[in-house]
Amino acid sequence: MKKINLLFLYEQNKENCSCYIPTIRQYTMGCDIEDAKVNALELVPTNLEEPNLYEAHFERMDIAGKQYDALIESSEENDGVICYLPNFRLGGSGRDVKEAKGNALKIIELQNIQKPLYKDATFEIVAVDSCSSAVDPIISYNA
């Protein structure tokens, strides 16, 4: 059985939690992280059949002297890269990672954001059996 590692990004607020899976560009909502994860896992089997899975990973970025995780995704729409900062709930795009990161930082600067607006973003890497819905969480992080 072939396993594939997928990133799950969770963003919480007082009312609910979203779970975004960048590799398949799908997201769902739940009452909390566990509920959002269960709902997201229901999306995985049918979407893994898609011929084009998107590349995505996290990188650390320095913003105002502090380190934050940035979701780096390939972008079919602009034939480039998207840099999404979960703690700020914003991002930028560009032809490559460097330009996308720079554009995300410009948006923070233009909005005069001095500190992150959100603290409840986390992500984990989940190993999913591509032939069934069996999953194994591998690594969890707080963004």
Side-chain angles (χ1 to χ4, degrees):
M1 289 185 235
K2 183 180 177 189
K3 291 200 180 229
I4 184 171
N5 293 335
L6 299 175
L7 290 171
F8 281 35
L9 169 64
Y10 306 102
E11 296 177 297
Q12 300 180 79
N13 61 33
K14 292 177 184 175
E15 293 81 35
N16 55 40
C17 178
S18 69
C19 177
Y20 176 58
I21 308 170
T23 307
I24 60 174
R25 296 273 160 79
Q26 295 289 322
Y27 85 97
T28 188
M29 301 292 288
C31 299
D32 55 26
I33 287 178
E34 285 306 311
D35 190 36
K37 181 178 182 175
V38 167
N39 293 338
L41 288 171
E42 292 177 5
L43 300 172
V44 172
T46 56
N47 285 288
L48 283 181
E49 296 170 8
E50 295 291 321
N52 298 323
L53 297 178
Y54 299 93
E55 291 192 30
H57 65 278
F58 278 91
E59 289 185 15
R60 299 292 265 167
M61 281 183 68
D62 186 51
I63 303 170
K66 293 188 180 179
Q67 294 283 312
Y68 297 97
D69 288 303
L71 174 61
I72 308 297
E73 302 179 83
S74 61
S75 173
E76 193 173 82
E77 295 80 23
N78 67 4
D79 196 28
V81 177
I82 297 168
C83 173
Y84 176 68
L85 300 163
N87 294 99
F88 296 87
R89 303 290 202 275
L90 58 80
S93 61
R95 293 180 301 264
D96 56 31
V97 173
K98 183 178 179 179
E99 183 178 25
K101 284 181 172 182
N103 288 337
L105 291 173
K106 284 179 190 173
I107 292 170
I108 289 173
E109 187 178 299
L110 287 171
Q111 293 185 10
N112 198 27
I113 299 172
Q114 302 298 315
K115 61 182 181 174
L117 303 174
Y118 303 91
K119 294 183 182 178
D120 295 334
T122 60
F123 67 92
E124 70 179 327
I125 300 170
V126 178
V128 179
D129 185 333
S130 61
C131 299
S132 74
S133 59
V135 298
D136 298 313
I138 297 177
I139 304 170
S140 292
Y141 296 98
N142 287 327

